[in-house]
Structure formats: structure tokens, C-alpha cells
Amino acid sequence: MKEFNVEGTCFPTMHYMVDITKRLEKMETLIKNGKYFCINRGRQYGKTTTINSLCDYLKEDYSVFSITFEDVSDKSFESIEKLLAKVVYKMYESVMFDEVYNLSNQNKSLLEELAEKSEMSDNEFTFFVAKFTKNNKKPIVLIIDE
């Protein structure tokens, strides 16, 4: 039996939800066109639920990484080098928890190799992104929640 949820992430099998299929289709069109976009609303408006739905919607045709910086210390934001290394680590975390589909074994190994770096220059990160996208059969989508 479904119920109304006013706290935390909603799940379609458990909670009454608005059908956001049309929104997901529009977001996928933006992604296909290589566009960046933000989901920006106040507390409890369904941002995280929308992100989770988008990940599920895209998982067959893309390698989707959904990461968050909520649990990251302020030290990770002290320099661009630390932040870039943290992005790679958070991507690796997603793979460790089996949250990413359609990822090549080469990319899994590359993430594992780079995950322990505490800093990464912008040139190293650019090279990582180029190699990462080349090694994958499916397009890669990076979603950052907070």
C-alpha cells in the first residue's frame, strides 16, 4: 500500500508521486545535446528523488555516475587539485557500490588506480576524462547532488 512521503527520497513502489516522465525525457534531450543543467529548488521539492529517477531512466543507454559532496570535508574544497581528486574518488565509490552500469573493465581499473590520489592537477584530470570517455562504449553522465 502506498503512502505520502514528506521526508527524504520517494520510491514509486512505496510512495505517491507525480509522474515526471516528460521531465526525464527533456533532461535526456539536454544530455544528448551535451548540455549542462541544474535542478534548483527549495528543501523537500524532490530534487534527490528526481536525480534518482533520472539515473534509473538513463542506466540502459549511459554509464551514469551520481555522486554527492554532502559527506566530504571542507579540506577537499581547499584547492582545485584536491577537489578533482575527490571527484575521481567519489566516482570510484559509485563503482564499488555497484551503482554504475555499462562501465568498461578498463575504466573500473583506471578509477581504482586513481582513487587514492589526494590531489590531481587539471591536466591530469583532463587526461583522465579523455581516456575514460574513450575506453567506454556508452556515453558517460556525471550527476552531482550537493
Side-chain angles (χ1 to χ4, degrees):
M1 183 161 149
K2 289 186 178 186
E3 60 184 38
F4 288 99
N5 181 22
V6 294
E7 293 181 357
T9 303
C10 292
F11 300 97
T13 56
M14 297 172 52
H15 304 115
Y16 293 110
M17 294 176 57
V18 173
D19 181 7
I20 62 168
T21 305
K22 296 286 185 203
R23 289 182 191 168
L24 296 174
E25 290 169 355
K26 288 179 183 178
M27 286 184 257
E28 184 181 20
T29 299
L30 291 171
I31 291 166
K32 282 181 180 176
N33 291 326
K35 302 295 183 186
Y36 296 86
F37 60 92
C38 293
I39 300 170
N40 185 5
R41 292 294 301 236
R43 289 179 40 79
Q44 300 301 317
Y45 271 89
K47 297 177 299 294
T48 300
T49 299
T50 299
I51 287 171
N52 291 340
S53 297
L54 181 62
C55 291
D56 193 50
Y57 183 81
L58 298 173
K59 72 181 179 186
E60 297 301 320
D61 298 320
Y62 298 86
S63 294
V64 182
F65 289 84
S66 182
I67 66 174
T68 181
F69 292 118
E70 287 179 298
D71 60 344
V72 173
S73 74
D74 289 345
K75 288 186 182 276
S76 295
F77 298 98
E78 289 176 349
S79 70
I80 190 67
E81 292 82 7
K82 289 180 180 181
L83 182 58
L84 294 174
K86 187 55 77 174
V87 168
V88 172
Y89 178 79
K90 295 302 258 178
M91 291 173 70
Y92 174 65
E93 238 179 19
S94 295
V95 172
M96 283 183 1
F97 292 113
D98 291 324
E99 297 169 347
V100 182
Y101 299 88
N102 307 311
L103 192 64
S104 72
N105 289 331
Q106 289 172 304
N107 279 345
K108 289 176 185 177
S109 297
L110 182 59
L111 281 172
E112 185 174 7
E113 175 188 324
L114 297 175
E116 295 306 315
K117 290 181 76 88
S118 60
E119 293 189 2
M120 183 179 281
S121 73
D122 55 348
N123 286 338
E124 287 175 298
F125 187 78
T126 300
F127 182 74
F128 158 72
V129 169
K131 189 173 181 180
F132 201 75
T133 53
K134 183 180 177 187
N135 285 345
N136 224 57
K137 292 178 183 167
K138 300 277 185 167
I140 296 165
V141 175
L142 176 62
I143 299 172
I144 302 172
D145 186 4
E146 295 193 50

